[in-house]
Amino acid sequence: MERVGKMELQKVASYTYAVEPAEVNAQGELPLTVLAQRILETATFHAESWAVGYSTLIQNDQAWVLARLAIEMQAYPRIGDTYVISTWIEGYNKHFSARNFEFAGKDGRIYGYARSIWSVIDMQTRTSADLTTFEYLAERISDKECPIERQSKLKPVQGEPLLAYPVRYSDIDLNRHVNSVKYIEHMLDSFTLQQYDEKYIKRFEINYISEARYGMDFKIYRNELDADIFAIDIKNNEDEAVCRGKVTFIPRR
Amino acid sequence: MERVGKMELQKVASYTYAVEPAEVNAQGELPLTVLAQRILETATFHAESWAVGYSTLIQNDQAWVLARLAIEMQAYPRIGDTYVISTWIEGYNKHFSARNFEFAGKDGRIYGYARSIWSVIDMQTRTSADLTTFEYLAERISDKECPIERQSKLKPVQGEPLLAYPVRYSDIDLNRHVNSVKYIEHMLDSFTLQQYDEKYIKRFEINYISEARYGMDFKIYRNELDADIFAIDIKNNEDEAVCRGKVTFIPRR
Protein backbone atom coordinates (compact mmCIF):
# COMPACT_ATOMS: atom_id res chain seq x y z
CA MET A 1 0.00 0.00 0.00
CA GLU A 2 1.31 3.35 -1.06
CA ARG A 3 0.09 6.55 0.53
CA VAL A 4 0.01 9.65 -1.62
CA GLY A 5 2.05 12.55 -0.24
CA LYS A 6 1.64 14.02 3.20
CA MET A 7 -1.91 13.56 4.39
CA GLU A 8 -2.04 15.85 7.39
CA LEU A 9 -4.66 18.30 6.24
CA GLN A 10 -5.84 16.80 3.00
CA LYS A 11 -9.60 16.78 2.73
CA VAL A 12 -9.42 13.95 0.22
CA ALA A 13 -6.78 11.31 0.94
CA SER A 14 -5.81 8.64 -1.58
CA TYR A 15 -4.25 5.23 -0.96
CA THR A 16 -2.98 2.88 -3.66
CA TYR A 17 -3.29 -0.92 -3.56
CA ALA A 18 -2.67 -3.80 -5.93
CA VAL A 19 -4.88 -6.88 -6.20
CA GLU A 20 -2.66 -9.76 -5.04
CA PRO A 21 -3.03 -13.32 -6.40
CA ALA A 22 -3.54 -14.77 -2.91
CA GLU A 23 -6.51 -12.51 -2.10
CA VAL A 24 -8.78 -12.79 -5.16
CA ASN A 25 -12.00 -14.80 -5.36
CA ALA A 26 -12.88 -17.62 -7.78
CA GLN A 27 -13.68 -15.03 -10.45
CA GLY A 28 -10.18 -13.51 -10.21
CA GLU A 29 -11.59 -10.30 -8.73
CA LEU A 30 -11.01 -8.35 -5.53
CA PRO A 31 -13.63 -9.82 -3.16
CA LEU A 32 -16.14 -7.43 -1.62
CA THR A 33 -14.90 -8.53 1.82
CA VAL A 34 -11.32 -7.43 1.03
CA LEU A 35 -12.67 -4.15 -0.35
CA ALA A 36 -14.61 -3.64 2.90
CA GLN A 37 -11.40 -4.31 4.85
CA ARG A 38 -9.63 -1.63 2.74
CA ILE A 39 -12.51 0.77 3.42
CA LEU A 40 -11.99 0.34 7.16
CA GLU A 41 -8.21 0.65 6.77
CA THR A 42 -8.26 3.82 4.65
CA ALA A 43 -10.81 5.43 6.99
CA THR A 44 -8.40 4.65 9.84
CA PHE A 45 -5.36 6.02 7.95
CA HIS A 46 -7.19 9.26 7.11
CA ALA A 47 -8.50 9.76 10.65
CA GLU A 48 -5.02 8.95 12.06
CA SER A 49 -3.50 11.60 9.76
CA TRP A 50 -5.77 14.12 11.51
CA ALA A 51 -5.02 12.70 14.95
CA VAL A 52 -8.65 11.61 15.38
CA GLY A 53 -7.96 7.97 14.64
CA TYR A 54 -7.90 4.82 16.71
CA SER A 55 -4.71 5.58 18.62
CA THR A 56 -5.88 9.03 19.78
CA LEU A 57 -9.46 8.10 20.66
CA ILE A 58 -8.53 4.95 22.56
CA GLN A 59 -6.68 7.10 25.09
CA ASN A 60 -10.13 8.40 26.09
CA ASP A 61 -11.66 4.91 25.86
CA GLN A 62 -13.45 5.95 22.69
CA ALA A 63 -13.54 4.31 19.27
CA TRP A 64 -15.08 4.91 15.84
CA VAL A 65 -17.86 2.42 15.15
CA LEU A 66 -19.25 1.69 11.69
CA ALA A 67 -23.06 2.04 11.64
CA ARG A 68 -23.92 1.73 7.93
CA LEU A 69 -22.10 0.98 4.72
CA ALA A 70 -23.23 1.04 1.09
CA ILE A 71 -20.94 -0.06 -1.74
CA GLU A 72 -21.85 0.26 -5.42
CA MET A 73 -19.53 -1.14 -8.09
CA GLN A 74 -19.54 -0.90 -11.88
CA ALA A 75 -16.70 -3.44 -11.98
CA TYR A 76 -14.19 -4.97 -9.57
CA PRO A 77 -10.40 -4.62 -9.92
CA ARG A 78 -8.95 -7.89 -11.17
CA ILE A 79 -5.81 -9.82 -10.25
CA GLY A 80 -2.72 -7.67 -10.82
CA ASP A 81 -4.75 -4.43 -11.18
CA THR A 82 -3.76 -1.39 -9.18
CA TYR A 83 -6.55 0.64 -7.62
CA VAL A 84 -6.72 3.91 -5.75
CA ILE A 85 -9.09 4.45 -2.83
CA SER A 86 -9.91 8.09 -2.20
CA THR A 87 -11.79 8.99 0.96
CA TRP A 88 -13.35 12.13 2.37
CA ILE A 89 -15.85 13.40 4.94
CA GLU A 90 -19.16 14.52 3.46
CA GLY A 91 -20.59 15.89 6.68
CA TYR A 92 -21.44 15.16 10.28
CA ASN A 93 -23.94 15.88 12.99
CA LYS A 94 -24.09 15.28 16.74
CA HIS A 95 -24.31 11.50 16.37
CA PHE A 96 -22.93 10.51 12.97
CA SER A 97 -20.17 11.29 10.53
CA ALA A 98 -20.57 10.50 6.81
CA ARG A 99 -17.41 9.31 5.04
CA ASN A 100 -17.36 8.49 1.33
CA PHE A 101 -14.99 6.48 -0.86
CA GLU A 102 -14.13 6.37 -4.55
CA PHE A 103 -12.44 3.33 -6.13
CA ALA A 104 -10.53 4.15 -9.31
CA GLY A 105 -7.86 2.68 -11.54
CA LYS A 106 -4.46 4.35 -11.90
CA ASP A 107 -5.76 5.59 -15.28
CA GLY A 108 -8.75 7.28 -13.62
CA ARG A 109 -11.23 4.56 -14.56
CA ILE A 110 -13.98 4.42 -11.91
CA TYR A 111 -14.70 1.02 -10.35
CA GLY A 112 -17.26 2.30 -7.90
CA TYR A 113 -18.08 4.24 -4.74
CA ALA A 114 -19.00 3.66 -1.13
CA ARG A 115 -20.82 5.62 1.55
CA SER A 116 -20.34 4.99 5.25
CA ILE A 117 -21.83 6.32 8.48
CA TRP A 118 -19.82 6.26 11.70
CA SER A 119 -20.29 7.17 15.33
CA VAL A 120 -17.81 7.49 18.17
CA ILE A 121 -18.71 5.44 21.20
CA ASP A 122 -17.46 5.30 24.74
CA MET A 123 -16.08 1.79 25.14
CA GLN A 124 -17.22 1.48 28.75
CA THR A 125 -20.73 2.94 28.66
CA ARG A 126 -21.38 2.04 24.96
CA THR A 127 -22.98 5.50 24.56
CA SER A 128 -22.17 7.69 21.58
CA ALA A 129 -20.02 10.80 21.86
CA ASP A 130 -21.11 14.21 20.58
CA LEU A 131 -19.26 14.69 17.28
CA THR A 132 -19.89 18.44 17.29
CA THR A 133 -17.18 18.57 19.97
CA PHE A 134 -14.74 17.35 17.25
CA GLU A 135 -14.64 20.93 15.95
CA TYR A 136 -11.83 20.41 13.44
CA LEU A 137 -14.10 18.10 11.41
CA ALA A 138 -16.00 21.15 10.14
CA GLU A 139 -13.06 22.55 8.19
CA ARG A 140 -12.22 19.16 6.70
CA ILE A 141 -15.49 18.45 4.94
CA SER A 142 -15.03 17.97 1.21
CA ASP A 143 -17.63 18.67 -1.45
CA LYS A 144 -16.27 15.91 -3.71
CA GLU A 145 -19.19 14.10 -5.29
CA CYS A 146 -20.28 10.57 -4.41
CA PRO A 147 -22.75 9.67 -7.15
CA ILE A 148 -24.43 6.65 -5.51
CA GLU A 149 -27.66 6.43 -3.56
CA ARG A 150 -27.53 7.03 0.17
CA GLN A 151 -27.67 4.17 2.64
CA SER A 152 -31.19 3.13 3.51
CA LYS A 153 -32.65 1.84 6.75
CA LEU A 154 -33.17 -1.83 5.97
CA LYS A 155 -36.35 -3.68 6.93
CA PRO A 156 -36.54 -6.91 8.96
CA VAL A 157 -36.55 -10.28 7.21
CA GLN A 158 -39.26 -12.67 8.44
CA GLY A 159 -39.56 -16.42 8.06
CA GLU A 160 -37.28 -19.26 8.96
CA PRO A 161 -33.47 -19.15 9.20
CA LEU A 162 -31.64 -20.37 6.10
CA LEU A 163 -28.48 -21.25 8.07
CA ALA A 164 -27.37 -21.35 11.69
CA TYR A 165 -23.90 -21.87 13.10
CA PRO A 166 -21.80 -20.68 16.03
CA VAL A 167 -19.70 -17.51 16.12
CA ARG A 168 -16.07 -18.67 15.94
CA TYR A 169 -12.69 -17.36 17.13
CA SER A 170 -11.81 -15.85 13.73
CA ASP A 171 -15.05 -13.81 13.77
CA ILE A 172 -14.05 -11.85 16.88
CA ASP A 173 -12.28 -8.49 16.82
CA LEU A 174 -10.44 -6.27 19.28
CA ASN A 175 -13.66 -5.24 21.02
CA ARG A 176 -14.59 -8.90 21.47
CA HIS A 177 -17.52 -8.47 19.11
CA VAL A 178 -17.87 -9.89 15.62
CA ASN A 179 -15.60 -8.06 13.16
CA SER A 180 -17.53 -5.75 10.78
CA VAL A 181 -16.12 -7.51 7.71
CA LYS A 182 -16.98 -10.99 9.01
CA TYR A 183 -20.71 -10.16 9.05
CA ILE A 184 -20.38 -9.31 5.36
CA GLU A 185 -18.50 -12.57 4.69
CA HIS A 186 -21.27 -14.58 6.38
CA MET A 187 -23.96 -12.78 4.37
CA LEU A 188 -22.15 -13.35 1.07
CA ASP A 189 -21.51 -17.02 1.92
CA SER A 190 -25.28 -17.63 1.86
CA PHE A 191 -25.04 -17.53 -1.96
CA THR A 192 -23.53 -20.30 -4.12
CA LEU A 193 -20.35 -20.15 -6.18
CA GLN A 194 -22.50 -20.61 -9.29
CA GLN A 195 -24.46 -17.45 -8.45
CA TYR A 196 -21.16 -15.51 -8.34
CA ASP A 197 -20.05 -17.08 -11.62
CA GLU A 198 -23.21 -15.88 -13.33
CA LYS A 199 -23.66 -12.55 -11.57
CA TYR A 200 -21.71 -9.98 -9.65
CA ILE A 201 -22.68 -7.72 -6.78
CA LYS A 202 -23.73 -4.35 -8.14
CA ARG A 203 -24.71 -2.89 -4.78
CA PHE A 204 -24.24 -4.03 -1.20
CA GLU A 205 -25.67 -2.39 1.90
CA ILE A 206 -25.29 -3.23 5.56
CA ASN A 207 -26.79 -1.73 8.73
CA TYR A 208 -25.00 -2.65 11.95
CA ILE A 209 -27.62 -2.83 14.70
CA SER A 210 -26.32 -4.62 17.77
CA GLU A 211 -23.18 -6.65 18.33
CA ALA A 212 -22.72 -10.41 18.16
CA ARG A 213 -20.32 -12.05 20.62
CA TYR A 214 -18.49 -15.30 21.04
CA GLY A 215 -20.87 -18.00 22.31
CA MET A 216 -23.81 -16.78 20.21
CA ASP A 217 -25.06 -18.43 17.04
CA PHE A 218 -25.36 -16.71 13.71
CA LYS A 219 -28.83 -17.23 12.31
CA ILE A 220 -29.01 -16.15 8.67
CA TYR A 221 -32.40 -15.12 7.30
CA ARG A 222 -32.69 -14.34 3.61
CA ASN A 223 -35.52 -13.14 1.42
CA GLU A 224 -35.58 -12.33 -2.32
CA LEU A 225 -37.17 -8.87 -2.51
CA ASP A 226 -37.18 -8.77 -6.30
CA ALA A 227 -35.26 -10.55 -9.07
CA ASP A 228 -31.58 -10.56 -7.97
CA ILE A 229 -32.26 -8.34 -4.94
CA PHE A 230 -31.90 -10.03 -1.54
CA ALA A 231 -32.53 -8.87 2.02
CA ILE A 232 -30.41 -10.67 4.63
CA ASP A 233 -30.69 -10.51 8.42
CA ILE A 234 -28.19 -11.97 10.81
CA LYS A 235 -30.00 -12.63 14.08
CA ASN A 236 -28.86 -13.77 17.51
CA ASN A 237 -30.21 -16.53 19.75
CA GLU A 238 -33.02 -14.19 20.90
CA ASP A 239 -34.07 -13.62 17.27
CA GLU A 240 -32.95 -10.01 17.34
CA ALA A 241 -31.19 -8.69 14.25
CA VAL A 242 -27.50 -7.93 14.86
CA CYS A 243 -27.20 -6.62 11.30
CA ARG A 244 -29.20 -6.32 8.11
CA GLY A 245 -27.92 -6.47 4.57
CA LYS A 246 -29.20 -5.93 1.04
CA VAL A 247 -27.46 -7.45 -1.96
CA THR A 248 -28.21 -6.54 -5.58
CA PHE A 249 -26.72 -8.80 -8.24
CA ILE A 250 -26.52 -8.15 -11.96
CA PRO A 251 -25.70 -10.71 -14.65
CA ARG A 252 -22.12 -10.80 -15.97
CA ARG A 253 -21.93 -10.04 -19.66
CA MET B 1 2.87 -1.80 3.01
CA GLU B 2 6.24 -0.27 2.30
CA ARG B 3 8.83 -2.06 0.19
CA VAL B 4 12.46 -1.43 1.00
CA GLY B 5 14.49 -0.09 -1.90
CA LYS B 6 14.79 -1.73 -5.29
CA MET B 7 14.34 -5.48 -4.93
CA GLU B 8 15.50 -6.76 -8.30
CA LEU B 9 18.44 -8.86 -7.26
CA GLN B 10 18.22 -8.76 -3.50
CA LYS B 11 18.66 -12.18 -1.97
CA VAL B 12 16.85 -11.02 1.14
CA ALA B 13 13.87 -8.74 0.55
CA SER B 14 12.12 -6.85 3.35
CA TYR B 15 8.57 -5.53 3.48
CA THR B 16 7.15 -3.32 6.22
CA TYR B 17 3.60 -3.53 7.57
CA ALA B 18 1.63 -2.04 10.43
CA VAL B 19 -0.93 -3.92 12.52
CA GLU B 20 -4.23 -2.17 11.74
CA PRO B 21 -7.06 -1.93 14.33
CA ALA B 22 -9.56 -3.59 11.96
CA GLU B 23 -7.44 -6.73 11.48
CA VAL B 24 -6.44 -7.74 15.02
CA ASN B 25 -7.93 -10.63 17.00
CA ALA B 26 -9.65 -10.53 20.39
CA GLN B 27 -6.24 -10.40 22.08
CA GLY B 28 -5.24 -7.26 20.15
CA GLU B 29 -2.60 -9.19 18.19
CA LEU B 30 -1.93 -9.83 14.53
CA PRO B 31 -3.84 -13.07 13.88
CA LEU B 32 -1.89 -16.03 12.54
CA THR B 33 -4.21 -16.04 9.50
CA VAL B 34 -3.26 -12.46 8.59
CA LEU B 35 0.42 -13.33 9.11
CA ALA B 36 -0.02 -16.30 6.74
CA GLN B 37 -1.61 -13.96 4.19
CA ARG B 38 1.43 -11.65 4.49
CA ILE B 39 3.74 -14.65 4.03
CA LEU B 40 2.02 -15.47 0.73
CA GLU B 41 2.07 -11.81 -0.31
CA THR B 42 5.75 -11.20 0.43
CA ALA B 43 6.72 -14.47 -1.31
CA THR B 44 4.80 -13.18 -4.34
CA PHE B 45 6.44 -9.73 -4.20
CA HIS B 46 9.92 -11.22 -3.99
CA ALA B 47 9.32 -13.71 -6.81
CA GLU B 48 7.75 -10.94 -8.92
CA SER B 49 10.86 -8.79 -8.38
CA TRP B 50 12.86 -11.59 -10.02
CA ALA B 51 10.28 -12.07 -12.79
CA VAL B 52 9.47 -15.59 -11.54
CA GLY B 53 6.24 -14.57 -9.85
CA TYR B 54 2.60 -15.17 -10.57
CA SER B 55 2.36 -12.87 -13.60
CA THR B 56 5.31 -14.47 -15.42
CA LEU B 57 4.49 -18.11 -14.65
CA ILE B 58 0.80 -17.82 -15.50
CA GLN B 59 1.79 -17.04 -19.11
CA ASN B 60 3.01 -20.67 -19.27
CA ASP B 61 -0.02 -21.92 -17.33
CA GLN B 62 2.18 -22.49 -14.30
CA ALA B 63 1.82 -21.34 -10.72
CA TRP B 64 3.66 -21.55 -7.40
CA VAL B 65 1.85 -23.85 -4.97
CA LEU B 66 2.46 -23.92 -1.23
CA ALA B 67 3.18 -27.45 0.01
CA ARG B 68 4.24 -26.94 3.63
CA LEU B 69 4.42 -24.08 6.09
CA ALA B 70 5.80 -23.85 9.63
CA ILE B 71 5.52 -20.69 11.71
CA GLU B 72 7.15 -20.25 15.10
CA MET B 73 6.52 -17.10 17.13
CA GLN B 74 8.03 -15.77 20.35
CA ALA B 75 5.41 -13.02 20.36
CA TYR B 76 2.91 -11.48 17.96
CA PRO B 77 2.98 -7.83 16.85
CA ARG B 78 0.20 -5.93 18.58
CA ILE B 79 -2.22 -3.27 17.39
CA GLY B 80 -0.32 -0.25 16.09
CA ASP B 81 3.03 -2.11 15.95
CA THR B 82 5.10 -1.96 12.81
CA TYR B 83 6.75 -5.19 11.66
CA VAL B 84 9.20 -6.09 8.94
CA ILE B 85 8.94 -9.36 7.02
CA SER B 86 12.23 -10.46 5.47
CA THR B 87 12.17 -13.36 3.05
CA TRP B 88 14.82 -15.41 1.25
CA ILE B 89 15.39 -18.70 -0.60
CA GLU B 90 17.26 -21.29 1.44
CA GLY B 91 17.60 -23.82 -1.37
CA TYR B 92 15.76 -25.87 -3.95
CA ASN B 93 15.79 -29.19 -5.73
CA LYS B 94 13.97 -30.61 -8.75
CA HIS B 95 10.57 -30.58 -7.01
CA PHE B 96 10.64 -28.08 -4.18
CA SER B 97 11.94 -24.65 -3.25
CA ALA B 98 12.49 -23.68 0.40
CA ARG B 99 11.65 -20.07 1.29
CA ASN B 100 12.14 -18.67 4.79
CA PHE B 101 10.76 -15.64 6.61
CA GLU B 102 11.82 -13.53 9.56
CA PHE B 103 9.35 -11.30 11.44
CA ALA B 104 10.99 -8.41 13.27
CA GLY B 105 10.12 -5.08 14.82
CA LYS B 106 11.47 -1.83 13.37
CA ASP B 107 13.90 -1.88 16.32
CA GLY B 108 15.21 -5.31 15.31
CA ARG B 109 13.24 -7.23 17.95
CA ILE B 110 12.49 -10.73 16.62
CA TYR B 111 8.84 -11.85 16.70
CA GLY B 112 9.47 -15.15 14.97
CA TYR B 113 10.29 -17.09 11.83
CA ALA B 114 8.61 -19.21 9.20
CA ARG B 115 9.72 -21.91 6.79
CA SER B 116 7.82 -22.75 3.61
CA ILE B 117 8.14 -25.32 0.83
CA TRP B 118 6.80 -24.56 -2.64
CA SER B 119 6.48 -26.33 -5.97
CA VAL B 120 5.59 -25.01 -9.41
CA ILE B 121 2.73 -26.87 -11.02
CA ASP B 122 1.29 -26.94 -14.51
CA MET B 123 -2.27 -25.69 -14.11
CA GLN B 124 -3.66 -28.03 -16.77
CA THR B 125 -1.90 -31.31 -15.99
CA ARG B 126 -1.43 -30.59 -12.22
CA THR B 127 2.09 -32.07 -12.52
CA SER B 128 5.06 -30.31 -10.96
CA ALA B 129 7.64 -28.49 -13.03
CA ASP B 130 11.39 -29.16 -12.74
CA LEU B 131 12.76 -26.28 -10.66
CA THR B 132 16.35 -26.98 -11.76
CA THR B 133 15.29 -25.40 -15.07
CA PHE B 134 14.82 -22.14 -13.09
CA GLU B 135 18.60 -21.68 -13.24
CA TYR B 136 18.70 -18.14 -11.83
CA LEU B 137 17.43 -19.48 -8.48
CA ALA B 138 20.90 -20.92 -7.80
CA GLU B 139 22.58 -17.52 -7.58
CA ARG B 140 19.81 -16.11 -5.39
CA ILE B 141 20.09 -18.52 -2.49
CA SER B 142 20.83 -16.75 0.77
CA ASP B 143 22.65 -18.25 3.73
CA LYS B 144 20.69 -16.10 6.20
CA GLU B 145 19.84 -18.21 9.20
CA CYS B 146 16.33 -19.45 10.06
CA PRO B 147 16.64 -20.77 13.63
CA ILE B 148 13.43 -22.82 13.82
CA GLU B 149 12.89 -26.52 13.28
CA ARG B 150 12.17 -27.75 9.77
CA GLN B 151 8.67 -28.67 8.67
CA SER B 152 7.76 -32.22 9.48
CA LYS B 153 5.58 -34.68 7.60
CA LEU B 154 2.47 -34.80 9.74
CA LYS B 155 0.73 -38.04 10.64
CA PRO B 156 -2.97 -38.85 10.07
CA VAL B 157 -5.53 -38.11 12.78
CA GLN B 158 -7.92 -41.00 13.46
CA GLY B 159 -11.26 -41.06 15.23
CA GLU B 160 -14.47 -39.16 14.67
CA PRO B 161 -14.80 -35.70 13.13
CA LEU B 162 -15.07 -32.85 15.63
CA LEU B 163 -16.87 -30.56 13.16
CA ALA B 164 -18.31 -30.81 9.66
CA TYR B 165 -19.63 -28.04 7.42
CA PRO B 166 -19.70 -27.15 3.73
CA VAL B 167 -16.98 -25.31 1.83
CA ARG B 168 -18.36 -21.83 1.17
CA TYR B 169 -17.89 -19.12 -1.48
CA SER B 170 -15.41 -17.14 0.65
CA ASP B 171 -13.18 -20.25 0.99
CA ILE B 172 -12.50 -20.46 -2.75
CA ASP B 173 -9.51 -18.88 -4.50
CA LEU B 174 -8.45 -18.09 -8.05
CA ASN B 175 -7.75 -21.77 -8.84
CA ARG B 176 -11.24 -22.67 -7.61
CA HIS B 177 -9.74 -24.60 -4.70
CA VAL B 178 -9.85 -23.64 -1.06
CA ASN B 179 -7.54 -20.70 -0.31
CA SER B 180 -4.38 -21.74 1.61
CA VAL B 181 -5.12 -19.29 4.43
CA LYS B 182 -8.73 -20.46 4.81
CA TYR B 183 -7.59 -23.99 5.75
CA ILE B 184 -5.59 -22.39 8.57
CA GLU B 185 -8.60 -20.31 9.66
CA HIS B 186 -10.78 -23.43 9.84
CA MET B 187 -8.14 -25.29 11.87
CA LEU B 188 -7.74 -22.41 14.33
CA ASP B 189 -11.52 -22.02 14.65
CA SER B 190 -11.70 -25.49 16.21
CA PHE B 191 -10.34 -23.93 19.42
CA THR B 192 -12.34 -21.68 21.75
CA LEU B 193 -11.83 -18.00 22.42
CA GLN B 194 -11.00 -18.89 26.02
CA GLN B 195 -8.13 -21.11 24.84
CA TYR B 196 -6.67 -18.13 22.96
CA ASP B 197 -7.14 -15.88 25.98
CA GLU B 198 -5.13 -18.27 28.14
CA LYS B 199 -2.55 -19.40 25.58
CA TYR B 200 -1.00 -18.32 22.34
CA ILE B 201 0.24 -20.31 19.37
CA LYS B 202 3.95 -20.91 19.72
CA ARG B 203 4.28 -23.06 16.62
CA PHE B 204 1.94 -23.84 13.74
CA GLU B 205 2.57 -26.33 10.94
CA ILE B 206 0.51 -27.24 7.91
CA ASN B 207 1.00 -29.81 5.14
CA TYR B 208 -1.13 -29.22 2.04
CA ILE B 209 -1.97 -32.66 0.60
CA SER B 210 -4.83 -32.48 -1.89
CA GLU B 211 -7.22 -29.68 -2.75
CA ALA B 212 -10.72 -29.07 -1.43
CA ARG B 213 -13.32 -27.64 -3.80
CA TYR B 214 -16.69 -25.99 -3.63
CA GLY B 215 -19.41 -28.59 -3.02
CA MET B 216 -17.27 -30.62 -0.60
CA ASP B 217 -17.62 -30.62 3.16
CA PHE B 218 -14.86 -29.77 5.58
CA LYS B 219 -14.51 -32.51 8.17
CA ILE B 220 -12.26 -31.42 11.01
CA TYR B 221 -10.48 -34.15 13.00
CA ARG B 222 -8.48 -33.16 16.05
CA ASN B 223 -6.34 -35.05 18.50
CA GLU B 224 -4.31 -33.82 21.49
CA LEU B 225 -0.85 -35.34 21.00
CA ASP B 226 0.53 -34.01 24.24
CA ALA B 227 -0.39 -31.20 26.64
CA ASP B 228 -1.13 -28.14 24.44
CA ILE B 229 -0.03 -29.90 21.24
CA PHE B 230 -2.78 -30.72 18.75
CA ALA B 231 -2.86 -32.59 15.45
CA ILE B 232 -5.63 -31.47 13.08
CA ASP B 233 -6.72 -33.07 9.81
CA ILE B 234 -9.17 -31.54 7.39
CA LYS B 235 -10.69 -34.37 5.40
CA ASN B 236 -13.04 -34.46 2.42
CA ASN B 237 -16.25 -36.44 1.89
CA GLU B 238 -14.17 -39.53 1.03
CA ASP B 239 -12.31 -39.25 4.35
CA GLU B 240 -9.05 -38.34 2.63
CA ALA B 241 -6.95 -35.64 4.27
CA VAL B 242 -6.82 -32.43 2.22
CA CYS B 243 -4.42 -30.93 4.74
CA ARG B 244 -2.85 -31.69 8.11
CA GLY B 245 -1.91 -29.24 10.81
CA LYS B 246 -0.11 -29.21 14.13
CA VAL B 247 -0.68 -26.49 16.71
CA THR B 248 1.48 -25.94 19.80
CA PHE B 249 0.12 -23.55 22.40
CA ILE B 250 1.97 -22.06 25.34
CA PRO B 251 0.42 -20.25 28.31
CA ARG B 252 0.45 -16.45 28.26
CA ARG B 253 2.37 -14.93 31.09
Side-chain angles (χ1 to χ4, degrees):
Chain A
M1 201 281 307
E2 179 190 310
R3 305 186 195 187
V4 175
K6 286 271 184 190
M7 291 297 148
E8 282 72 4
L9 288 169
Q10 275 188 265
K11 289 182 175 177
V12 181
S14 297
Y15 306 89
T16 301
Y17 294 90
V19 183
E20 301 301 337
E23 70 182 2
V24 299
N25 59 17
Q27 292 77 35
E29 295 163 349
L30 188 73
L32 192 67
T33 45
V34 177
L35 186 66
Q37 185 69 27
R38 301 286 180 241
I39 285 173
L40 298 180
E41 249 178 56
T42 55
T44 303
F45 294 153
H46 197 201
E48 286 285 337
S49 77
W50 292 344
V52 290
Y54 172 82
S55 56
T56 312
L57 266 58
I58 201 69
Q59 295 171 20
N60 298 322
D61 245 348
Q62 291 180 322
W64 286 102
V65 172
L66 183 60
R68 290 188 188 179
L69 176 65
I71 302 173
E72 202 167 309
M73 302 298 279
Q74 295 161 31
Y76 288 85
R78 297 186 59 80
I79 187 167
D81 285 347
T82 292
Y83 60 103
V84 180
I85 304 185
S86 298
T87 181
W88 66 97
I89 302 288
E90 181 180 291
Y92 68 102
N93 60 29
K94 200 167 174 346
H95 297 296
F96 296 106
S97 167
R99 175 181 280 284
N100 297 336
F101 303 84
E102 178 195 272
F103 314 108
K106 274 277 198 188
D107 56 1
R109 169 196 180 171
I110 298 294
Y111 289 114
Y113 293 91
R115 290 178 171 277
S116 65
I117 300 289
W118 299 75
S119 61
V120 167
I121 63 156
D122 182 291
M123 302 290 282
Q124 300 303 324
T125 63
R126 313 305 287 180
T127 54
S128 69
D130 180 353
L131 293 182
T132 57
T133 64
F134 290 40
E135 287 165 9
Y136 39 80
L137 282 176
E139 64 199 46
R140 292 176 193 186
I141 290 170
S142 165
D143 58 4
K144 183 175 165 73
E145 206 192 349
C146 186
I148 65 166
E149 239 179 73
R150 285 179 191 282
Q151 308 84 347
S152 48
K153 187 174 178 192
L154 301 174
K155 293 189 188 69
V157 179
Q158 310 296 349
E160 291 300 309
L162 184 70
L163 296 162
Y165 43 88
V167 172
R168 301 203 174 96
Y169 159 68
S170 67
D171 291 312
I172 301 297
D173 72 5
L174 180 67
N175 300 322
R176 302 183 83 83
H177 300 119
V178 173
N179 177 301
S180 307
V181 175
K182 278 285 180 175
Y183 291 113
I184 301 176
E185 185 178 306
H186 289 287
M187 286 183 176
L188 301 187
D189 274 347
S190 76
F191 300 98
T192 66
L193 183 59
Q194 195 189 344
Q195 284 173 293
Y196 290 101
D197 282 336
E198 293 168 358
K199 289 160 187 179
Y200 71 91
I201 297 172
K202 174 72 182 166
R203 185 174 166 97
F204 176 81
E205 280 191 64
I206 187 166
N207 294 178
Y208 295 96
I209 299 168
S210 66
E211 294 167 306
R213 292 160 193 262
Y214 193 83
M216 287 182 176
D217 290 312
F218 283 124
K219 295 165 78 177
I220 315 280
Y221 291 71
R222 209 183 69 192
N223 189 8
E224 190 165 7
L225 298 174
D226 203 341
D228 291 336
I229 304 176
F230 296 86
I232 306 174
D233 273 13
I234 300 184
K235 298 188 188 183
N236 62 20
N237 302 356
E238 283 74 44
D239 273 326
E240 297 157 345
V242 291
C243 60
R244 298 204 160 107
K246 189 176 168 188
V247 183
T248 307
F249 287 96
I250 62 165
R252 295 177 183 277
R253 277 167 301 180
Chain B
M1 203 281 307
E2 179 190 310
R3 304 186 197 186
V4 176
K6 285 271 184 192
M7 291 294 146
E8 282 74 2
L9 288 169
Q10 275 189 262
K11 288 181 176 177
V12 181
S14 297
Y15 306 90
T16 301
Y17 293 91
V19 183
E20 301 301 336
E23 69 183 4
V24 299
N25 59 18
Q27 292 77 34
E29 296 164 350
L30 188 71
L32 193 67
T33 45
V34 177
L35 188 65
Q37 185 71 26
R38 302 286 181 240
I39 285 173
L40 298 179
E41 248 178 56
T42 55
T44 304
F45 294 153
H46 197 201
E48 287 284 338
S49 77
W50 293 345
V52 291
Y54 172 82
S55 56
T56 312
L57 267 58
I58 200 68
Q59 294 171 20
N60 298 320
D61 246 349
Q62 291 180 322
W64 286 102
V65 173
L66 183 60
R68 290 188 189 180
L69 177 65
I71 303 173
E72 202 167 309
M73 303 298 280
Q74 296 163 30
Y76 289 85
R78 297 186 60 81
I79 188 166
D81 285 347
T82 293
Y83 60 104
V84 180
I85 304 185
S86 299
T87 179
W88 66 98
I89 302 289
E90 180 178 295
Y92 68 102
N93 61 27
K94 200 167 175 335
H95 298 295
F96 296 105
S97 168
R99 176 181 280 284
N100 298 336
F101 302 84
E102 178 195 271
F103 314 108
K106 275 276 199 187
D107 56 1
R109 168 196 181 171
I110 298 294
Y111 290 112
Y113 293 91
R115 292 178 170 276
S116 65
I117 301 288
W118 299 74
S119 60
V120 167
I121 62 156
D122 183 292
M123 301 291 281
Q124 299 304 323
T125 64
R126 313 306 287 181
T127 55
S128 69
D130 181 354
L131 292 182
T132 58
T133 63
F134 290 40
E135 287 164 9
Y136 39 79
L137 282 177
E139 64 198 45
R140 294 178 190 182
I141 290 171
S142 166
D143 58 4
K144 183 175 166 71
E145 204 192 351
C146 187
I148 64 166
E149 239 179 74
R150 286 178 190 281
Q151 310 85 351
S152 50
K153 188 174 177 191
L154 302 174
K155 294 189 185 72
V157 180
Q158 310 296 349
E160 292 300 310
L162 185 70
L163 295 163
Y165 44 87
V167 172
R168 300 202 176 98
Y169 159 69
S170 67
D171 291 312
I172 302 297
D173 73 4
L174 181 66
N175 301 322
R176 302 184 83 82
H177 300 121
V178 172
N179 178 301
S180 309
V181 175
K182 278 285 179 174
Y183 291 112
I184 302 176
E185 183 177 306
H186 289 288
M187 286 181 177
L188 301 187
D189 275 348
S190 76
F191 300 98
T192 66
L193 182 61
Q194 196 191 341
Q195 283 173 293
Y196 290 101
D197 282 336
E198 291 168 0
K199 290 161 187 178
Y200 71 92
I201 297 173
K202 174 73 183 164
R203 185 174 165 99
F204 176 81
E205 280 193 65
I206 186 166
N207 294 177
Y208 295 97
I209 298 168
S210 67
E211 296 167 306
R213 292 159 194 263
Y214 193 82
M216 286 181 178
D217 290 311
F218 283 123
K219 295 163 78 177
I220 315 279
Y221 292 71
R222 211 184 68 191
N223 189 7
E224 191 165 5
L225 299 175
D226 203 341
D228 291 336
I229 304 176
F230 295 87
I232 307 175
D233 274 12
I234 300 184
K235 298 187 186 183
N236 62 21
N237 301 357
E238 283 74 44
D239 273 327
E240 298 157 344
V242 292
C243 61
R244 298 206 161 107
K246 189 175 169 189
V247 184
T248 307
F249 287 95
I250 62 166
R252 295 177 182 278
R253 278 169 299 183

